[in-house]
Amino acid sequence: MNLFEAERFTNILEKLSEYPFPGNVRELENIVKRVVVLKINLKLSDDKILSLLPLGKIEKKKNEFLNMTLREIERKIITEVLEEEDNNKTKTAIRLGIDRGTLNRILKEK
């Protein structure tokens, strides 16, 4: 069995080529490794593999933001990052590149 038969990965490669990869080369490398393991070892379908990859989540997020104001989007992103940082406001502010005072002001606004 040849792992590098391109036709086995055509659908997935097309989707990967459409994804902007905001991270670095390691992100791409990790996704490619996951695809190979899911396809070869677990014998999952292309649709199932694509549903497990983070690619569609970005599209859903864009659609979610379409009907929100800029303030609502800002607050939602801050709230999500705050949760990811275990409610540590200092780490959240650093990750977002804002001052902790600005973070507190935004969180207090309704």
Side-chain angles (χ1 to χ4, degrees):
M1 169 167 37
N2 184 354
L3 295 179
F4 300 105
E5 293 173 10
E7 59 272 359
R8 295 176 72 183
F9 297 95
T10 303
N11 294 335
I12 296 170
L13 290 173
E14 284 176 14
K15 288 291 182 189
L16 288 175
S17 69
E18 296 169 5
Y19 182 64
F21 287 101
N24 55 29
V25 175
R26 265 189 232 131
E27 179 187 9
L28 173 60
E29 181 181 357
N30 288 333
I31 287 177
V32 170
K33 284 179 183 177
R34 267 191 251 158
V35 167
V36 170
V37 167
L38 294 171
K39 184 80 169 173
I40 303 300
N41 295 351
L42 300 179
K43 298 181 180 9
L44 296 181
S45 70
D46 290 357
D47 289 337
K48 182 65 178 172
I49 291 170
L50 289 170
S51 74
L52 295 172
L53 296 176
L55 309 179
K57 294 177 182 132
I58 287 178
E59 199 58 42
K60 287 179 191 170
K61 186 73 71 181
K62 280 196 287 188
N63 291 335
E64 177 184 339
F65 290 156
L66 287 177
N67 296 319
M68 297 172 74
T69 66
L70 185 56
R71 292 237 186 260
E72 291 169 334
I73 294 168
E74 178 183 61
R75 186 170 174 80
K76 180 160 183 58
I77 290 170
I78 288 173
T79 303
E80 287 178 9
V81 173
L82 188 60
E83 286 175 15
E84 289 173 10
E85 295 294 346
D86 297 321
N87 291 316
N88 185 317
K89 290 182 179 179
T90 302
K91 286 182 180 179
T92 300
I94 290 169
R95 182 169 157 195
L96 293 171
I98 60 175
D99 187 73
R100 186 172 165 161
T102 303
L103 175 69
N104 286 326
R105 179 186 52 76
I106 294 168
L107 290 172
K108 286 179 184 176
E109 290 176 0
K110 289 192 177 194

